[in-house]
Amino acid sequence: MIVGFLYLGLLATTVNAANVADLVGTWTTKSRTVETGPGFYDPINDKLIEPDLPGISYSFTADGHYEEAYYRALANPTDPSCPKGIMQWQHGTFTMSSDGALELSPIEKDGRQLESDPCSSSLGTYTRYNQTERFNSFKVSIDPYHNIQRLDLHYFDDSPMHPMYLAYRPPQMLPPGSLESVTKNGKRKRDVGSQTESVFRMANLIKREDLVNPDRWLWLGVLMTALGGITVFYS
C-alpha cells in the first residue's frame, strides 16, 4: 500500500514536470506578428513597438519566469465605428498548482500599457500596467490543421483564450529580473508619462478614406470583432 502511494506521488510529480516542460517557449496567436521580447517592448527607450496586426504572445521558462505581450482592438459600444487600440506588456514569475492551474505574478513597476482613442484625442495614454493573472488549466497539443505545437489556456472562469502556437523554444524574452534600473547614456529611462503623441495605425484604420475600397473591409471586420477586451478574431 505504501509503495502504491509512493508510486502515485512520483507519477503525479512526473506529470507535473512534463507539463511545465511542454509549456516552455514563446507562443503567439495566429497573426504571428506579436511576440514577446525586444521587438515588442524596448526597455532602454521605454517604448512599446506597434506590430503590424493585433495578437497575443506569452513566453514561459522552465525555472518559472514568464513574459506577455498584447496588442488588440477594444470595441466602443457607444460608437462602433470608433474602436480603441491598446498595447500591454508585463513580465514576472509563474507557479503551477497540483491541478495544473497557472498563477502569473508580474513585476509591479515594469509593466507598460499604451492606449489610443483617436476619436477622442490625438494623444495616446502611456501608463504602468500591473495585472496578476490566473489560468485554470492549459493544454499543449499538435494542432491538426497547422501541424505545429499549440497552447490552449483557460482563464479563471474557464473561458478559453485564443489558441497560441509555438514560435520559439527556448523562449524569446527580455531579461527576467526587474528592468527599472535599465539606463541609457548613463541616465535613467524616461519616466512613464500620462500621454504620448503615439496613435496606433490600427485604431486609425477606421478613419482612412480608402476603407471604401472593398479590399479594405477586412480590416473593418477585424476591428469590429473585438470581444470586450479580449483580442480580435484576427489574433
Side-chain angles (χ1 to χ4, degrees), residues 62-82:
D63 59 351
H65 295 278
Y66 84 97
E67 183 177 326
E68 66 181 73
Y70 277 70
Y71 178 38
R72 54 191 176 177
L74 300 180
N76 185 341
T78 59
D79 186 357
S81 67
C82 201

Side-chain angles (χ1 to χ4, degrees), residues 56-196:
I56 299 172
S57 179
Y58 277 78
S59 288
F60 299 93
T61 68
D63 59 351
H65 295 278
Y66 84 97
E67 183 177 326
E68 66 181 73
Y70 277 70
Y71 178 38
R72 54 191 176 177
L74 300 180
N76 185 341
T78 59
D79 186 357
S81 67
C82 201
K84 300 177 182 179
I86 192 167
M87 294 178 67
Q88 294 168 332
W89 180 91
Q90 60 180 2
H91 69 162
T93 58
F94 76 93
T95 57
M96 188 173 76
S97 62
S98 59
D99 62 358
L102 300 174
E103 188 83 21
L104 278 55
S105 303
I107 298 174
E108 182 176 352
K109 293 184 178 181
D110 279 5
R112 296 292 187 267
Q113 175 176 283
L114 179 59
E115 184 175 357
S116 177
D117 185 2
C119 293
S120 297
S121 173
S122 61
L123 297 176
T125 302
Y126 188 60
T127 59
R128 297 189 190 276
Y129 177 71
N130 173 34
Q131 180 64 57
T132 299
E133 295 172 284
R134 176 183 171 86
F135 296 102
N136 275 356
S137 63
F138 72 92
K139 178 183 178 182
V140 176
S141 61
I142 300 297
D143 184 87
Y145 182 79
H146 300 287
N147 199 32
I148 57 176
Q149 290 195 50
R150 164 176 164 166
L151 172 63
D152 290 279
L153 292 168
H154 287 79
Y155 292 105
F156 67 94
D157 60 356
D158 284 329
S159 61
M161 178 185 283
H162 285 281
M164 291 182 285
Y165 304 93
L166 184 64
Y168 302 101
R169 182 174 284 162
Q172 174 180 269
M173 301 169 64
L174 289 167
S178 175
L179 300 177
E180 275 294 294
S181 60
V182 174
T183 62
K184 180 181 180 182
N185 298 327
K187 298 180 180 180
R188 290 187 61 81
K189 296 181 300 181
R190 66 179 177 86
D191 292 333
V192 180
S194 60
Q195 289 189 317
T196 173

Side-chain angles (χ1 to χ4, degrees), residues 24-47:
V24 171
T26 293
W27 306 84
T28 182
T29 46
K30 67 180 180 181
S31 69
R32 301 188 69 84
T33 62
V34 177
E35 296 175 346
T36 57
F40 189 86
Y41 175 56
D42 174 4
I44 301 297
N45 296 296
D46 198 2
K47 180 176 67 173

Side-chain angles (χ1 to χ4, degrees), residues 211 213-224 234:
L211 274 175
N213 184 332
D215 292 337
R216 298 292 182 176
W217 281 103
L218 174 61
W219 286 106
L220 179 59
V222 170
L223 294 172
M224 292 302 98
Y234 220 91

